[in-house]
Amino acid sequence: MEKQQTVMASLSGKQIAAVAAGNALEFYDFLIFGFFAVQIGAVFFPVKDATGSLLLTLATFGVGFLTRPLGGALIGPLGDRIGRKPAMLLSFGLMGASIIGLALTPSYASIGVAAPILLVLFRLLQGFALGGEVGPSTAFLMEAAPANKRAFYVSLQFATQQVATLTAGIVGVVLANVLTPANLIAWGWRIAMLLGATVVPLALAIRRNLPETLPQKDRISRPKLTAAQVGSALLTLMVLASATISTYVLISINIFATHTLGMSPAQAFGAVVIGGGCGVIASPIGGWLSDRWGRKPVMMVAFGLLCLAGLPCFLAMSQLRTPPVLYAAVALMASLLALGLPAIMTQVGESLPLQMRSGGIGIIYAVAIAIFGGTASFVVTWLTRVTGSPLAPAGYMCAALALGMCCMLTMRETAPIKTGS
């Protein structure tokens, strides 16, 4: 442990920020596909029914989540065997290859059925890379942090994800305003993807110069999980499931705004910008509060308020259908969600042994994302179509939050300020 503390003490703020920034780049690439689902659908799934095309695209978006558990199961434990840094370099390199492939895949009109097949293959690779990214990068941040600042350091992971959301939203707004709808479909979304790819070489160079936070001696021993740790992992999985559903309901708010509320793409992407900006601010605040009050109080209050606010927010958006109401509702919901996320992920890491932290975090997170995140946009769109109610997303999100809060009640507190560790 003494050796580990020495390694941690040598880390600079710039190096820690590099890990968080790299995660932001990966999430930008991954999220941009969802943000441009309507345009991508028109290129690769040119069916007569617009809703059918959207559902096919969202299904392809969901395919990328199928390989997340595989990435978490392979790259995550790799971070426990050979170190956090090599695992992070591998995941980022794969992400760069997948995003370039997606951006350069020809349309259905050019190569026929090969186009959607290639699209699915690159989505599978992208999901594998991102599934393997979360474990080692989150473990790195936890191990770089003083014990009383773990949640704050982990919150940088979520803050930079929101930076990615914010950046993707800005790109969407700019492209929607300067390009015609035809050009946005033809090549505008490709430009958005390639913007993320341009930073891959720089990000790889930064990560290559990071020190290692996992001591050599801890890459050999493999402790067995206790029954209590397995139970905690299962509870955390359900909590992460509720957080994941809520996250992807809000991520797909631009689709809700255009497809359900009838707003323009520019107005819809404005909501993405608002949500991302609020998340950038609220995530570090949530981490800071979690380090001082404990994990459970912060995540329960944040998720409880989001559960209460979800239905009124979607009701206001569907009834009034104006950009100011859309932006206000998104700002409130995104802020509450961001407040609770750092506490949840820190709880996951603190519940696992050091020698299994990267793999444990990666697998738990990837399974939650694969089962619930990958299907969220599709389920919400399907529920809205079947029920004919624009409140369907709120019902799905609030039900998930209620289940997550029930699991939170039975989880043990892991914050050092509460446990004295």
Side-chain angles (χ1 to χ4, degrees), residues 48-388:
K48 294 181 180 180
D49 181 12
T51 300
S53 176
L54 176 60
L55 286 174
L56 286 171
T57 307
L58 292 178
T60 303
F61 179 75
V63 162
F65 290 84
L66 296 177
T67 49
R68 280 209 182 191
L70 185 60
L74 294 180
I75 300 179
L78 195 65
D80 293 323
R81 289 195 296 271
I82 65 174
R84 316 306 191 204
K85 185 173 75 170
M88 289 191 293
L89 286 170
L90 173 61
S91 64
F92 196 86
L94 292 175
M95 178 60 68
S98 65
I99 192 65
I100 293 173
L102 281 169
L104 300 180
T105 298
S107 67
Y108 185 93
S110 299
I111 60 174
V113 71
I117 291 175
L118 286 173
L119 188 71
V120 169
L121 290 176
F122 284 123
R123 282 290 297 154
L124 291 172
L125 179 61
Q126 195 175 37
F128 178 84
L130 194 50
E133 162 70 11
V134 176
S137 62
T138 303
F140 183 98
L141 289 172
M142 285 192 65
E143 292 153 10
N148 64 343
K149 292 184 179 180
R150 286 177 190 153
F152 178 75
Y153 274 50
V154 171
S155 74
L156 299 178
Q157 189 93 315
F158 293 100
T160 53
Q161 290 175 16
Q162 296 300 328
V163 169
T165 305
L166 175 63
T167 303
I170 291 174
V171 170
V173 169
V174 171
L175 291 176
N177 277 287
V178 302
L179 298 179
T180 64
N183 286 336
L184 199 61
I185 292 173
W187 51 267
W189 62 272
R190 297 180 188 272
I191 295 297
M193 285 189 173
L194 289 173
L195 285 175
T198 59
V199 299
V200 170
L202 175 61
L204 284 173
I206 295 174
R207 288 190 170 196
R208 190 173 290 112
N209 291 324
L210 288 172
E212 181 56 62
T213 61
L214 181 66
Q216 185 67 41
K217 63 180 179 63
D218 290 314
R219 304 178 202 179
I220 302 174
S221 59
R222 289 289 178 272
K224 292 183 177 179
L225 289 174
T226 65
Q229 288 171 329
V230 172
S232 175
L234 292 175
L235 288 172
T236 305
L237 176 62
M238 297 311 299
V239 173
L240 278 175
S242 68
T244 297
I245 289 173
S246 303
T247 298
Y248 281 89
V249 167
L250 295 183
I251 283 176
S252 61
I253 199 70
N254 68 308
I255 299 175
F256 174 80
T258 55
H259 203 68
T260 302
L261 302 183
M263 294 186 182
S264 68
Q267 292 171 330
F269 279 116
V272 177
V273 173
I274 295 294
C278 291
V280 171
I281 297 170
S283 292
I285 294 175
W288 181 81
L289 291 173
S290 177
D291 285 324
R292 282 150 183 78
W293 293 353
R295 315 305 180 212
K296 290 180 65 173
V298 173
M299 58 187 176
M300 288 192 68
V301 170
F303 275 40
L305 291 175
L306 180 56
C307 187
L308 293 175
L311 187 59
C313 284
F314 273 87
L315 182 62
M317 288 188 291
S318 61
Q319 291 293 320
L320 300 176
R321 303 195 178 209
T322 63
V325 172
L326 171 67
Y327 299 156
V330 168
L332 175 60
M333 291 188 291
S335 296
L336 291 173
L337 178 62
L339 284 173
L341 288 174
I344 295 173
M345 190 57 72
T346 308
Q347 173 104 8
V348 177
E350 288 174 334
S351 300
L352 295 166
L354 172 68
Q355 300 91 336
M356 302 179 69
R357 183 173 292 156
S358 175
I361 293 174
I363 293 171
I364 293 171
Y365 185 82
V367 169
I369 290 287
I371 297 175
F372 301 99
T375 59
S377 296
F378 184 89
V379 170
V380 164
T381 302
W382 179 79
L383 284 174
T384 302
R385 183 179 186 181
V386 169
T387 63

